[in-house]
Amino acid sequence: MKKNSLTRLSIVLFLLGFSGLSAQTKVDIEDQDSLLINRNIYGHFAEHLGRSIYDGLYVGEASDIPNTDGVRNDLIEALKNLQIPILRWPGGCFADTYHWMDGIGPKEDRPTIVNQWWGGVTEDNSFGTHNFLNLCEELGAEPYLAANIGSGTVKEFADWIQYVNHDGTSPMADLRKENGREKSWGVKYWGVGNEMWGCGGNMTPEYYANLYRQYATFMTSWDNETGLYRIASGANVDDYHWTEVLMRDVPHNLIEGVALHSYSFVEWGNKGDAVDFNEAQYFSTMHTALRMEELVTKHSAIMDKYDPKGNIELIVDEWGGWYDVQEDTNPGFLYQQNTMRDAMIAGVSLNIFNNHSKRVKMANLAQTVNVLQAVALTDGAKMLLTPTYHVMEMYKVHQDAKLLPVSFDSPQYSYEGESLPAVSVSASKDDKNVIHISAVNIDSEKENEVEFDLSGFDIDDFDAEILVSDKLQDHNTFDIPEKIIPKQFKDFKFKRGNLKITLPPFSVVVLESK
């Protein structure tokens, strides 16, 4: 694809570093037979961690907080509004200590366990398989179950599949019916362990590949007409050897997806505060967020080597910002606030996933509520929606739309001698031929002018929304829950197929053709 350079004048101004001047860039958008942006890229992740499940999703049937089968109605409504496509559960690290039969049957008979990974709290198993799968039905979302490989057995895993998917007569199907569910749920997506290089067992990739082969062999779809989608526990960030071993050693008829985990932070071991951060910490966080482009590209290249037809898919089932926990909260609960910095992480990450939709078919933001880069935070009966929620809401228009490839040279965001691409863009066309363009400017100080060549499209004009605020550290609170919300955006001009927009510093804009 052809790339467009900055004009000579804008290059000179940029290199001289004049403050207050906006850089300019031109974006080519192609209309061609292309891939669909899989809606599962907009997936979510809910682990038994801190206040994610209990007090987040689940308040119990007897709660004064309005609920449906114990799940907060306000959160159900918010997730429905996101058109949440898929939800991953019960972990995370918790998955490889979780025994699913502890969470079924009469609640008074369920055993308690200690959550050894997250805070050492007692888990009473009141939220289990039925609760989660019924919630997914309520949301209209696909369930994604992460199974216990680290401390479980092949039989335990196979029994869980039979319990949720078998409609005939069998020991596990009969047990499900005794527990009040006649029809199976037909669960398609299954994670075969989680982070097997770490909390899942500190395994070598060679050992895990053999273990995966064993478990995958005993996975039976039963009455699920679409079959099972088996996801191998994949690499930690840039462990390319892990991906190489899985693609080389696992027969391709036993695997549908390979996972990848990568978080954004200031630096590992010194993640910094979620709200009280400076520009150096912001720049470092954006550096790790934008590295997702490199990670997806290099892991995809390894997958291409062994799977040139793209039958096995890349699943980024944990991503998001990770900072030090909020002061005076349990350090094992990973509760943090959500600022405009997180909106930047969300915007650029989703653009990367969209643009790599040839191989990336699912991504799961960590996590849904009260943990890490959550889309919602709760405090008793109160709930607020974070800037990340609003980015996900603005971007939902890309779900299952046709990817429109973009080509451009980004202006740079520079800080103390280092530079990052300031502008991130992805585009799509839905089944009604409506074009959507999502653009992000991560520069903390400078606006950026972006020009789009849309001469090949039949467009009359655009509507647009923007998410922006006065300071990078701005966030929504329970006292001011709508400090940051999407607003109408008018700082653009469209004439004869040429669209010019001015992106304010640290802003997210989504445009819709009309």
Side-chain angles (χ1 to χ4, degrees):
M1 286 183 286
K2 172 184 158 189
K3 287 193 173 181
N4 293 285
S5 301
L6 298 171
T7 65
R8 181 173 299 175
L9 176 61
S10 62
I11 289 176
V12 172
L13 292 177
F14 170 67
L15 292 176
L16 290 176
F18 287 105
S19 62
L21 292 171
S22 63
Q24 299 175 353
T25 192
K26 186 172 182 179
V27 180
D28 283 338
I29 299 181
E30 297 183 37
D31 189 9
Q32 61 182 32
D33 290 337
S34 186
L35 301 158
L36 293 183
I37 297 172
N38 194 309
R39 66 194 305 265
N40 288 339
I41 282 173
Y42 293 83
H44 296 258
F45 170 36
E47 182 172 3
H48 284 246
L49 195 174
R51 294 172 50 241
S52 169
I53 300 299
Y54 303 107
D55 193 41
L57 279 172
Y58 186 74
V59 292
E61 293 86 340
S63 174
D64 292 334
I65 298 172
N67 66 85
T68 299
D69 296 330
V71 179
R72 303 177 63 113
N73 287 344
D74 52 3
L75 190 58
I76 289 174
E77 181 181 354
L79 295 178
K80 282 184 175 180
N81 183 54
L82 286 184
Q83 297 173 7
I84 173 174
I86 192 164
L87 183 59
R88 180 175 180 246
W89 175 87
C93 290
F94 182 80
D96 282 290
T97 61
Y98 182 65
H99 300 281
W100 67 271
M101 293 193 76
D102 291 347
I104 62 172
K107 292 187 179 182
E108 62 272 16
D109 296 337
R110 298 181 188 181
T112 59
I113 62 170
V114 174
N115 192 328
Q116 69 183 68
W117 289 112
W118 306 118
V121 295
T122 299
E123 158 76 50
D124 69 0
N125 283 302
S126 57
F127 186 93
T129 296
H130 288 249
N131 304 84
F132 174 70
L133 296 181
N134 290 342
L135 169 62
C136 288
E137 282 189 335
E138 177 69 24
L139 295 173
E142 291 271 8
Y144 169 11
L145 293 176
N148 182 349
I149 307 304
S151 66
T153 66
V154 172
K155 182 181 186 304
E156 181 181 17
F157 189 7
D159 282 348
W160 200 12
I161 298 173
Q162 185 185 123
Y163 185 88
V164 302
N165 280 1
H166 192 11
D167 272 322
T169 299
S170 74
M172 292 300 105
D174 291 346
L175 181 59
R176 182 192 70 242
K177 294 169 186 176
E178 290 175 16
N179 289 329
R181 174 76 182 198
E182 183 68 25
K183 181 174 173 52
S184 69
W185 289 279
V187 177
K188 177 180 179 180
Y189 295 96
W190 294 84
V192 185
N194 168 78
E195 296 190 355
M196 307 310 290
W197 39 262
C199 60
N202 283 303
M203 300 175 186
T204 65
E206 291 81 5
Y207 179 86
Y208 172 64
N210 280 328
L211 193 63
Y212 175 92
R213 291 164 65 130
Q214 178 187 12
Y215 274 78
T217 299
F218 288 91
M219 295 176 69
T220 303
S221 61
W222 298 107
D223 300 315
N224 186 345
E225 294 180 0
T226 59
L228 299 184
Y229 188 105
R230 298 158 293 188
I231 300 170
S233 173
N236 180 31
V237 194
D238 59 354
D239 187 351
Y240 301 115
H241 177 64
W242 190 281
T243 301
E244 181 99 26
V245 170
L246 289 182
M247 295 300 296
R248 182 193 69 204
D249 291 359
V250 175
H252 290 187
N253 66 327
L254 292 178
I255 187 170
E256 283 71 44
V258 173
L260 169 65
H261 290 181
S262 182
Y263 286 91
S264 305
F265 42 75
V266 176
E267 58 180 318
W268 191 255
N270 180 26
K271 302 186 187 76
D273 193 85
V275 174
D276 186 15
F277 58 89
N278 56 34
E279 184 170 6
Q281 292 171 313
Y282 169 68
F283 187 91
S284 181
T285 305
M286 294 315 301
H287 183 271
T288 58
L290 289 169
R291 194 185 178 199
M292 185 65 78
E293 174 74 31
E294 174 188 329
L295 297 176
V296 168
T297 299
K298 290 186 176 181
H299 283 290
S300 294
I302 295 169
M303 297 175 76
D304 289 344
K305 173 183 172 183
Y306 293 94
D307 175 37
K309 292 184 179 180
N311 295 321
I312 301 172
E313 299 171 347
L314 185 58
I315 310 299
V316 190
D317 57 15
E318 288 189 29
W319 67 273
W322 191 338
Y323 318 115
D324 293 338
V325 301
Q326 186 166 303
E327 191 175 353
D328 298 325
T329 64
N330 188 317
F333 281 11
L334 305 188
Y335 179 87
Q336 62 189 41
Q337 251 295 352
N338 199 287
T339 68
M340 283 300 300
R341 173 172 62 172
D342 298 286
M344 297 299 99
I345 294 172
V348 299
S349 298
L350 292 170
N351 281 342
I352 290 168
F353 300 148
N354 287 348
N355 289 327
H356 284 273
S357 57
K358 179 179 180 181
R359 185 66 77 169
V360 178
K361 300 299 182 181
M362 186 197 302
N364 303 83
L365 175 67
Q367 296 189 12
T368 308
V369 55
N370 289 337
V371 173
L372 299 177
Q373 191 173 339
V375 296
L377 302 175
T378 66
D379 180 14
K382 297 179 181 178
M383 186 189 76
L384 66 81
L385 304 177
T386 67
T388 297
Y389 177 93
H390 295 303
V391 174
M392 299 287 281
E393 180 185 21
M394 293 165 70
Y395 274 53
K396 69 184 181 183
V397 293
H398 291 304
Q399 293 185 21
D400 285 340
K402 187 176 81 167
L403 175 69
L404 299 177
V406 297
S407 177
F408 67 103
D409 290 323
S410 172
Q412 298 294 295
Y413 163 38
S414 298
Y415 179 76
E416 293 191 347
E418 295 187 69
S419 295
L420 297 171
V423 173
S424 169
V425 177
S426 68
S428 68
K429 182 166 68 172
D430 67 19
D431 57 6
K432 297 180 181 177
N433 291 322
V434 177
I435 306 256
H436 292 100
I437 302 170
S438 51
V440 182
N441 176 23
I442 67 167
D443 199 304
S444 64
E445 295 182 352
K446 293 181 181 179
E447 64 183 22
N448 278 297
E449 294 181 4
V450 184
E451 181 179 349
F452 296 88
D453 180 6
L454 297 163
S455 56
F457 298 87
D458 183 15
I459 299 172
D460 293 327
D461 204 351
F462 281 92
D463 290 323
E465 278 190 315
I466 186 170
L467 194 73
V468 70
S469 197
D470 295 331
K471 297 191 304 180
L472 273 164
Q473 296 80 5
D474 284 348
H475 55 281
N476 294 332
T477 67
F478 293 106
D479 292 328
I480 311 175
E482 295 189 348
K483 180 179 180 65
I484 302 172
I485 58 173
K487 297 177 181 177
Q488 187 178 18
F489 179 67
K490 294 184 177 180
D491 199 1
F492 67 89
K493 296 179 181 178
F494 182 69
K495 187 175 182 180
R496 290 194 294 271
N498 184 264
L499 173 67
K500 293 182 179 180
I501 67 175
T502 301
L503 297 171
F506 54 95
S507 63
V508 179
V509 171
V510 173
L511 300 107
E512 179 176 277
S513 68
K514 60 181 183 179

